[in-house]
Amino acid sequence: MMQINVTGGELDNRELDAYVARANSRYPVGTVHALDIHIDGDYVDLQYHLTPRPFSRIRRITGYLVGDMSHWNNAKAAEEKDRVKHI
Protein backbone atom coordinates (compact mmCIF):
# COMPACT_ATOMS: atom_id res chain seq x y z
CA MET A 1 0.00 0.00 0.00
CA MET A 2 1.37 3.38 -1.00
CA GLN A 3 1.41 6.11 1.63
CA ILE A 4 0.16 9.44 0.24
CA ASN A 5 0.92 12.77 1.94
CA VAL A 6 -0.84 15.91 0.65
CA THR A 7 0.29 19.37 1.78
CA GLY A 8 -0.81 22.86 0.76
CA GLY A 9 -4.42 21.98 -0.03
CA GLU A 10 -6.86 19.17 -0.69
CA LEU A 11 -7.40 16.82 -3.62
CA ASP A 12 -10.41 14.74 -4.55
CA ASN A 13 -10.13 10.97 -4.89
CA ARG A 14 -10.16 11.04 -8.70
CA GLU A 15 -7.12 13.33 -8.78
CA LEU A 16 -5.32 11.26 -6.12
CA ASP A 17 -5.96 8.13 -8.18
CA ALA A 18 -4.49 9.86 -11.24
CA TYR A 19 -1.27 10.71 -9.35
CA VAL A 20 -0.99 7.14 -8.06
CA ALA A 21 -1.52 5.82 -11.61
CA ARG A 22 1.23 8.17 -12.82
CA ALA A 23 3.61 6.83 -10.15
CA ASN A 24 2.80 3.24 -11.16
CA SER A 25 3.33 4.05 -14.85
CA ARG A 26 6.75 5.60 -14.20
CA TYR A 27 7.99 2.86 -11.84
CA PRO A 28 7.13 -0.83 -11.45
CA VAL A 29 4.13 -1.45 -9.20
CA GLY A 30 5.23 -1.82 -5.59
CA THR A 31 8.43 0.19 -6.08
CA VAL A 32 6.98 3.49 -4.82
CA HIS A 33 6.19 3.16 -1.12
CA ALA A 34 5.27 6.82 -0.49
CA LEU A 35 4.11 9.78 -2.57
CA ASP A 36 4.35 13.37 -1.35
CA ILE A 37 2.05 15.82 -3.13
CA HIS A 38 2.56 19.53 -2.47
CA ILE A 39 -0.07 21.88 -3.89
CA ASP A 40 1.16 25.37 -4.77
CA GLY A 41 -1.70 27.27 -6.37
CA ASP A 42 -2.21 25.86 -9.86
CA TYR A 43 0.94 23.73 -9.63
CA VAL A 44 1.52 20.37 -7.98
CA ASP A 45 4.92 19.02 -6.95
CA LEU A 46 5.26 15.24 -6.76
CA GLN A 47 8.00 13.49 -4.82
CA TYR A 48 8.31 9.71 -5.09
CA HIS A 49 9.90 7.68 -2.28
CA LEU A 50 11.20 4.41 -3.73
CA THR A 51 11.70 1.17 -1.86
CA PRO A 52 15.43 0.32 -1.71
CA ARG A 53 16.35 -2.68 -3.84
CA PRO A 54 19.25 -4.96 -2.94
CA PHE A 55 21.94 -5.44 -5.53
CA SER A 56 24.87 -7.76 -5.89
CA ARG A 57 28.28 -6.50 -6.81
CA ILE A 58 29.72 -8.00 -9.97
CA ARG A 59 33.45 -8.19 -10.46
CA ARG A 60 35.85 -9.75 -12.90
CA ILE A 61 37.71 -12.71 -11.43
CA THR A 62 39.99 -14.97 -13.49
CA GLY A 63 38.36 -13.84 -16.72
CA TYR A 64 34.74 -14.28 -15.60
CA LEU A 65 32.15 -11.76 -14.46
CA VAL A 66 30.75 -13.10 -11.20
CA GLY A 67 28.75 -11.94 -8.21
CA ASP A 68 30.07 -14.60 -5.85
CA MET A 69 32.05 -17.80 -6.02
CA SER A 70 29.55 -20.09 -4.29
CA HIS A 71 28.94 -22.14 -7.44
CA TRP A 72 32.61 -22.51 -8.46
CA ASN A 73 34.37 -25.86 -8.30
CA ASN A 74 37.50 -26.41 -6.16
CA ALA A 75 39.94 -25.83 -9.03
CA LYS A 76 38.47 -22.45 -9.99
CA ALA A 77 38.31 -21.40 -6.30
CA ALA A 78 42.00 -22.36 -5.89
CA GLU A 79 42.87 -20.32 -9.00
CA GLU A 80 41.16 -17.28 -7.49
CA LYS A 81 42.94 -17.80 -4.15
CA ASP A 82 46.39 -18.04 -5.82
CA ARG A 83 46.05 -14.97 -8.04
CA VAL A 84 47.94 -11.75 -7.37
CA LYS A 85 45.57 -9.10 -6.03
CA HIS A 86 46.37 -5.55 -7.10
CA ILE A 87 45.18 -2.96 -4.61
Side-chain angles (χ1 to χ4, degrees):
M1 184 75 184
M2 185 185 308
Q3 178 184 354
I4 301 173
N5 305 312
V6 179
T7 57
E10 293 185 14
L11 297 173
D12 63 6
N13 286 338
R14 192 180 70 196
E15 197 168 3
L16 280 175
D17 291 341
Y19 290 130
V20 170
R22 176 177 165 76
N24 289 331
S25 70
R26 291 180 56 114
Y27 302 99
V29 175
T31 304
V32 179
H33 69 87
L35 173 61
D36 292 340
I37 303 172
H38 178 72
I39 302 169
D40 185 17
D42 291 337
Y43 299 98
V44 175
D45 295 323
L46 302 176
Q47 183 177 11
Y48 304 108
H49 298 278
L50 305 178
T51 304
R53 296 179 62 184
F55 67 95
S56 61
R57 186 174 310 272
I58 296 189
R59 52 194 176 144
R60 185 181 176 101
I61 300 176
T62 65
Y64 297 96
L65 295 175
V66 296
D68 62 29
M69 299 181 301
S70 63
H71 59 279
W72 283 15
N73 64 24
N74 293 339
K76 187 53 81 173
E79 182 181 342
E80 190 278 333
K81 182 180 177 189
D82 293 339
R83 75 185 183 106
V84 175
K85 295 177 173 76
H86 302 280
I87 299 175

